[in-house]
Every structure is written in C-alpha cells, then in structure tokens.
Amino acid sequence: MKLLVIDGNSIVNRAFYGIRALSNKKGVFTNAVTGFLNILFKLQNGFKPDCIAVAFDLKAPTFRHKLYGEYKGTRKPMPEELAMQMPYVKEILRAMGIKIVEKEGWEADDILGTLSHAAEAEGNTAIVATGDRDSFQLITDNISVNLAGNKEDTLYTPEEIKEKYGVTPIQMIEVKALMGDASDNIPGVKGVGEKTALDLIQKYSDIKNIYNKIDELEISPKLKQKLIDGKESCFMSRELGTIALNAPIETNMEAYIPAERDEVKLAEILTELEMFSILKKLNISSENVKKASEKASAAAIEEAREKREAEEVRLDKNGYDIMLKDDALTVCANMNAAKYGAGEIKAFLENDAEKRTFDLKGLYSYAIPKGIKIKNVSFDTTLSAYLLNVSSSDYSLPRLCAEYGVKAAENDEELPQCLYELNTKLLSKINSEKLNKILDEIEIPLAEVLTSMEIDGVKVDLEGIDSFGRELEEKIIRTEEQIYFEAGEKFNISSPKQLGVILFEKLNLPSGKKTKTGYSTNADVLENLMDKHPIVPLISDYRAFTKLQSTYVKGLKDAVKEDGRIHSTFKQTETRTGRISSAEPNIQNIPVRTELGKNMRRFFTAKEGCLLIDADYSQIELRVLAHLANDKIMQQAFLNGDDIHTITASQVFNQPVDWVTPELRSRAKAVNFGIVYGIGAFSLSKDTGVSVAEAKRYIDAYLAKYSGVDAFMKRTAEEAKKNLYVETMFGRRRYIPEINASNKIVQAAAKRIAMNTPIQGTAADIIKLAMIKVYKRLEAEKLPARLILQVHDELIVEAEESCAEKAAAILKEEMENCVKMAVPLTADVKIGKTWFDTH
C-alpha cells in the first residue's frame, strides 16, 4: 500500500499566504481552505495513495518545550483570518472520510515520522507532503518528501538530498544541530550557518564525531572556538530537531484507508463558505446537494412560514414569480405554475399584476424586439442577488438556491416553491439591508435601458476600419525595421524573453532582477527606460500599434452584424462598484489616451440622416467627493465654476491662482484624481515625476487644505473596519472583510477600496440614473432619438438631424438634474456625425 501523510499546519499556512484573501459574504475567510483542498486534490491525483492521514499540531506544550522553554518562542500567533478557517479544514476532511491525527504533547512532525516509518516497517511506501524541510530527515528508500514550493512541488528522495546537500537524509538532523532553526527558535551553534554546517557534516559525519575529534579538525581557530562554546546548545538543538518515530498513535495502515465520504455534510459546509468551484470538483451528486439545501434551510423555512404574514410579500392571483426559459414563460403563484406560450406572453407581461422576475434584462431581450411593454415589475431575483453579493460571478438559479439554503427545483412542478422561497429570502434581505430603493429606482428600470441600447447598437464605418488597419500595418512594419536596426539583429519583438536579452544583455540597459523566466519587460519597466536608448520608445509604439490592430481593428470588424452595427452587451451585474461594463466588444476599453487610439472613435458613426450627441460629465468623481466629504473649500470652487485643478494647485502649493503654471496644475490634477483612488506617495511620485518625499508633501498639503476630504477618508475607513462594508450615497453596498486582515498589504489594498468605492460607486449610480431619465424623456417626447452608448462618464444619443438640437438639450438637462448635490453636476454636450467629431 501507499500512504500519503500530510503536514496539515504547514500546507494550510502555505495556502493561506499563497492565495489572495477570499471570503464569503459573512466575512468568513476561505483562501486557506480553498488552497489546502486544491493541494490535497493535486496530491491525490498525482500519487493515487491507498491511505491518507493529515497531521495537525495541538496548542499543548510538547516534550521539546520542557527541554527548552524558548522553543518556538519567536513564533507569532496565528492570524485570526487563518484561525477561523482551521475548523472548516478539519470538518471538510472528516466529511471526506480522511483521517485527522493529533496528539497532545506531540507535534505534527512526530506524527509524520511515526506514520511514515510504520508504513515502511509494514513493507509499504509513504509520501510526506509538507512545506517544511524538517521532514527531510525522514527520507529513506521507501519514504519520500513532497516539498511544496512557491510555484511547483519537488519530490525528494535520498538521491535528491545527496545531490543538493551532499549529505544523507538522516544527517540533516546533524546539520540542523549546528546551524539551528530561526523559525522554531532552535539555537544551534552561534555563528555557524548552513554552508559551514554542511561542510562539517560532509567531512565528519555527525556532531558526536566532531566533538570527539575537536582538536584534530582541520578548521580555523575561530570556528573551533565557536564549536566549543556552543557544544551544549548543539546537542540540545539536535534533540529538539530530531523528529520522533514513536508517537502514541494508531499505526495500522488500514485505519487510514479513506472512509465513505459524507456528501450531504460536504455540500452543507462548502455552500456555507460559498466554495462552489470546490463543490463542483468533488462531483457531489445533485441529490446530495439538494439534501444539504433541505437540511440547511429547514429551520429557516419554518421560521419564514411563521413570519410570512407579518414580514413577507405573499403572491396571490394578483402577483406572480416569473421566469423565461426557451421562449416560454413560467408563471408561478399560490404554489402552482403555468407555462405561457408566445401567443399569451404579451397579454400577461402587459397586464397590471405585480411581477417578480428572475432575469429582467433577459426578459426585456425577448420582449422589446416584439414590441412588448413589461408592466409592474416589483422585484428581480438576479439584480437583488447582485446587490446583496457584488463579489459573486454566478447568479444562476442553482447557485442562488445553494447560497440561500433553498431546495433547488428538479422539475417544473417544484419551480413555484423554489422561486417563491428564494425571492422571499432575497426580498427580506434587500429590505433589511435597505437596498430596496436602489433596486426599485435604479437597477430595475435600468434593465430596460441597457437592453434597448444593446438592441439598437451603433453604426460602424467598416471601410474606415479597413483603411485604418492598413495604415497600422504599415506603421507596424516600419517600426519593426527601426527596432531591428537599433538592435542590430532580427528577433521576436513580442517575446518578453528575447526582448529581455536584447535590452539587458546586448544593449546593457539597466534592468531589474532576472527571474526564472527572464527579464521583466512590462510597461512600467519600459517607461523607466524611455530616455536610455532609442529602441525603447519604438518598442512601446510597436506594442500600441499591434494592440490596436489585433484587439480593436480586428475585434470591431468581427463584432459588426449584418445591419452594419455593433451590438455590445452591457453587463449590469459584473463590477463590484456598480459600474456598467460591456463585452463583445468591450466599448469601455476603446483607447483614447493616444492620438492614434482616439482615431478609433471615427469609426463609430450615425446612420444616414442622423447625428450623434455626446454628453460627458465634467469631473464627476471630484464633485461626488466634494459632496460626500462636505468639504467647503472644494464645494465653493465648484459653485464658483472655477477650474478645480488650478484651485487645488493654488491651495497645495501656496500660490495665487494667477501664478499657477501648467506644470503645477498638472501635478494638482494628479493629486486630485489620485486622492479619489487612495493613492500613496510612491505611486504619485511616478505619476508626477517628483521624489517620493515631494509627493508625500503634496498629499499632506492637500489633506491639510481640504480637511473635509481628509476627515471623510478617515471616517470611511473606520466605518468599513467596523461594518465590513461601505456604501454609496444611494445605499449600494460593497463588503470588504479584508480590511481587518492582519496582512498589512491586504489590509492597505482593502482600505484603498473602502475609500474609493463610495466615490466611484456614487458616480456609477448617478450615470445610471441619468441614463434612465434620458431614456424615459426621449420616449415621453416621442423624439426620433435613442440612447445607444454609455462609456464611463459619457452618454451618446443617435438622433435624426431635425431634432438633434432638442435631443442635445434634453440630454444635458437630464444629466445635470438627475440628482441634487451640494455642488452642480455639469455635462459637456457636443454634436457630430461621428463619435470623434463630438470631442
């Protein structure tokens, strides 16, 4: 038989620190559980063991602590984010039928040693899986150690140990006795490091032999004195570092053959943790997932039934849960369901009954082309689930049933109960978290607007794109030739490895550290080398040209439909801040920072007899910041109609407004927008080209002058730490449990998100409200004009030439008055034949 024995603490630790912080919506961290299970699956698939044991440490002191009171004395306590995951790891292992081995007074290492050598004694083989080199001493011809690395694991046998360290596995104990181990606070011999320790053991076999022949050793007097002074510490360290092979645990291998797994329990735990990808990897049957849902939700359902009259919306003959599937509409009420065919759907959707839809945007995609008006939508499952958990990437019915503990419908007969219970739970949470207003006034009406925009699309100039593509191709060829000339040879410019060799070995440009895969040649590296050699700006141009060619020229051409228009998909439930995103193609990513990139706008054009009207909010995020922070100085600048960047430069650099130079204004602009994104001094120094110290002075001066902004940022971060979420002006929430992480890098990133989300999220809500109002106003006035695009803070309307001026006035009016704040919203409106003409 083959035994796999896993160092549980070591592997869980490695998983925790190796994977970014993940958590469920309740704030329970899951990165260590996720990483540990993925490592476990990899070990099982790779080694196919007959027996598995996972060893864990217990908190009780061991014989080593009694021998040396400072043993492991420098270890920091386990972070709370990791500690909360340990019980889940063990619970999952038990449910998988995998034996956990723990013994008070003994370390996990001793369990690894005892089990692996017991397996060998019975004529079996063993693999020890760990992230700790301490286990190397256990290696024999029948016991190997699988050492987890940062990128890949390494399997160590006696041959690998000999080749790498020049000693046998058992001699690794002697090496440790000499060099000690800082992580376990084993002292060793003071002043003796790994190289010296290895040299000594390679020559003299073990520490006993070294000290027996101390006067005969061919070593320096200095080293000899170190050894003499550290003799007692050395022998104690050997005892501390020796893994015991006699821990009082079960050593019969049959006890470690995995038992039958408890799939219902596994489904319960993984659903609670929202680890649905792991649930899928375990291939747990749908029947057992259903049983878990039933079990987990039984108490909640009973409670809900008791409270339904008081707290929940009961749907009767005047109200329905509805779901569109395969062009048929399933209508549920009073625990009954009926299917409406194409001929009946229009009459139903246009009646006045209350409707709780499952996927409203999908329903509009069916209804709008058929001229159907959907009336009285009071609730939507998908949009509610998004508002309650913006971090999810799956809002399907089975996924939501699993998340909210509702029995998933196996057939049409079970669908009414399933939809009713799911929607009732979601509605209760929407109300308790005060998200009902944003659902009713923004997300539900927005679904119609976005679908209409997708259906209308935008006309594209295919001939212009082809011409631009040919122009780009010529630029690419010319740039390639110039690069080859500067390099003195031809090479694959798109290969980072080959490019790294040219830049840093042949041309000897200053480089960062070389990694296993070669030199880094990313955009930041090139930016720092721009003035070092003429080849660098050429490479930057080459990348820009090829990106435009492959992603945008080809991408746009491929996306054009038979009507000559692009119909991008606008995604309502994807971003964590509430921003709308787009795909196929991603209109939001059309490059506009370079002159060449701006030319892409020329190919978005109005159809014959029409014009495009573009309205762009001016500095919307800074205006939102001024309002939310209630900063009087910033508010006054906007109320006066002043240039905010000039005013900021005047405030930060203590200059009269008339003395503010373009350079100072540019730096102030970087600070203004940087503050919105929680920028630090290092990043600002790169953006402005000044030293880090100077950038810090800018930030400090900014926050001193705009004290309201400073107070708002601090207050927002503190509230996020307390509540684990932040909110926009309209109540949209984003949960950020990572803000209390013990890892300072994770915590700092979460703090930046906390400070930025209320600003960016409020701006997103405002543009959504503007879209709804523009859409409804154009419709109400029956103008031959349609809202067709939204890109960041811009709205674009296509209107017949005869009504373009009126449509432009409506667009400006609705955008500027969609919400009242302490400062005015301003939208710059322009009219043109193409998107380029409106800028």
Side-chain angles (χ1 to χ4, degrees), residues 513-646:
K513 289 182 180 178
K514 188 176 182 183
T515 65
K516 289 182 180 178
T517 54
Y519 300 96
S520 173
T521 60
N522 63 26
D524 287 341
V525 171
L526 292 189
E527 184 64 32
N528 291 329
L529 297 173
M530 278 296 173
D531 59 348
K532 300 293 189 294
H533 195 282
I535 197 173
V536 179
L538 290 170
I539 291 163
S540 184
D541 287 346
Y542 177 83
R543 286 180 174 178
F545 298 154
T546 53
K547 175 76 172 177
L548 280 169
Q549 180 73 288
S550 61
T551 303
Y552 299 107
V553 171
K554 186 178 184 303
L556 286 178
K557 284 178 65 177
D558 290 347
V560 178
K561 304 300 183 193
E562 290 179 4
D563 61 358
R565 298 173 79 91
I566 281 174
H567 300 269
S568 184
T569 300
F570 292 97
K571 297 188 176 182
Q572 195 173 354
T573 59
E574 186 168 90
T575 69
R576 297 186 179 190
T577 58
R579 283 272 185 187
I580 299 163
S581 61
S582 66
E584 299 173 2
N586 184 351
I587 301 291
Q588 314 282 348
N589 272 4
I590 298 292
V592 292
R593 290 188 177 182
T594 64
E595 203 58 44
L596 202 59
K598 286 177 184 176
N599 280 323
M600 298 298 298
R601 286 177 171 160
R602 295 184 188 278
F603 314 127
F604 293 83
T605 182
K607 66 183 178 183
E608 192 66 34
C610 290
L611 293 168
L612 295 184
I613 307 156
D614 181 294
D616 190 355
Y617 274 127
S618 171
Q619 300 163 342
I620 185 171
E621 290 188 347
L622 290 176
R623 292 170 189 271
V624 166
L625 175 60
H627 173 81
L628 293 179
N630 196 26
D631 190 291
K632 300 304 180 185
I633 296 176
M634 189 177 285
Q635 287 178 359
Q636 196 59 52
F638 282 122
L639 288 168
N640 293 343
D642 295 333
D643 177 76
I644 188 66
H645 303 313
T646 300

Side-chain angles (χ1 to χ4, degrees), residues 343-602:
E344 306 163 295
I345 292 177
K346 178 177 171 66
F348 174 77
L349 291 179
E350 291 186 343
N351 71 30
D352 291 325
E354 177 190 342
K355 303 170 185 73
R356 299 199 305 193
T357 58
F358 178 77
D359 173 17
L360 183 56
K361 192 160 169 286
L363 193 58
Y364 272 120
S365 295
Y366 172 89
I368 290 175
K370 295 175 175 58
I372 299 172
K373 289 284 185 183
I374 305 174
K375 290 186 179 178
N376 201 11
V377 175
S378 65
F379 182 84
D380 182 76
T381 313
T382 306
L383 295 176
S384 298
Y386 168 64
L387 288 174
L388 290 166
N389 185 7
V390 297
S391 298
S392 179
S393 59
D394 181 2
Y395 300 102
S396 64
L397 183 59
R399 163 70 169 75
L400 293 177
C401 285
E403 182 175 350
Y404 290 94
V406 171
K407 179 185 174 185
E410 295 286 321
N411 49 53
D412 288 346
E413 287 72 32
E414 294 179 356
L415 192 59
Q417 178 75 23
C418 171
L419 280 178
Y420 179 82
E421 289 182 2
L422 178 60
N423 285 343
T424 297
K425 284 193 170 190
L426 287 168
L427 179 56
S428 178
K429 283 187 72 66
I430 285 287
N431 288 331
S432 68
E433 296 189 15
K434 298 187 172 91
L435 291 165
N436 46 313
K437 191 172 182 181
I438 205 164
L439 175 67
D440 296 341
E441 296 180 8
I442 297 182
E443 297 301 343
I444 284 177
L446 183 69
E448 179 180 2
V449 180
L450 294 178
T451 309
S452 172
M453 288 163 58
E454 290 175 358
I455 291 167
D456 286 334
V458 58
K459 184 173 170 55
V460 171
D461 176 8
L462 271 175
E463 287 184 10
I465 292 177
D466 280 334
S467 174
F468 184 62
R470 290 191 294 272
E471 180 188 336
L472 274 176
E473 195 59 47
E474 291 173 8
K475 287 180 180 291
I476 290 168
I477 292 169
R478 284 200 304 272
T479 308
E480 269 183 346
E481 290 171 352
Q482 289 175 288
I483 290 170
Y484 295 151
F485 174 79
E486 295 292 345
E489 63 178 274
K490 285 191 174 184
F491 65 101
N492 183 353
I493 305 167
S494 299
S495 165
K497 189 173 183 180
Q498 292 185 35
L499 178 59
V501 171
I502 294 292
L503 294 179
F504 306 119
E505 293 183 9
K506 184 169 183 179
L507 299 178
N508 291 314
L509 296 181
S511 70
K513 289 182 180 178
K514 188 176 182 183
T515 65
K516 289 182 180 178
T517 54
Y519 300 96
S520 173
T521 60
N522 63 26
D524 287 341
V525 171
L526 292 189
E527 184 64 32
N528 291 329
L529 297 173
M530 278 296 173
D531 59 348
K532 300 293 189 294
H533 195 282
I535 197 173
V536 179
L538 290 170
I539 291 163
S540 184
D541 287 346
Y542 177 83
R543 286 180 174 178
F545 298 154
T546 53
K547 175 76 172 177
L548 280 169
Q549 180 73 288
S550 61
T551 303
Y552 299 107
V553 171
K554 186 178 184 303
L556 286 178
K557 284 178 65 177
D558 290 347
V560 178
K561 304 300 183 193
E562 290 179 4
D563 61 358
R565 298 173 79 91
I566 281 174
H567 300 269
S568 184
T569 300
F570 292 97
K571 297 188 176 182
Q572 195 173 354
T573 59
E574 186 168 90
T575 69
R576 297 186 179 190
T577 58
R579 283 272 185 187
I580 299 163
S581 61
S582 66
E584 299 173 2
N586 184 351
I587 301 291
Q588 314 282 348
N589 272 4
I590 298 292
V592 292
R593 290 188 177 182
T594 64
E595 203 58 44
L596 202 59
K598 286 177 184 176
N599 280 323
M600 298 298 298
R601 286 177 171 160
R602 295 184 188 278

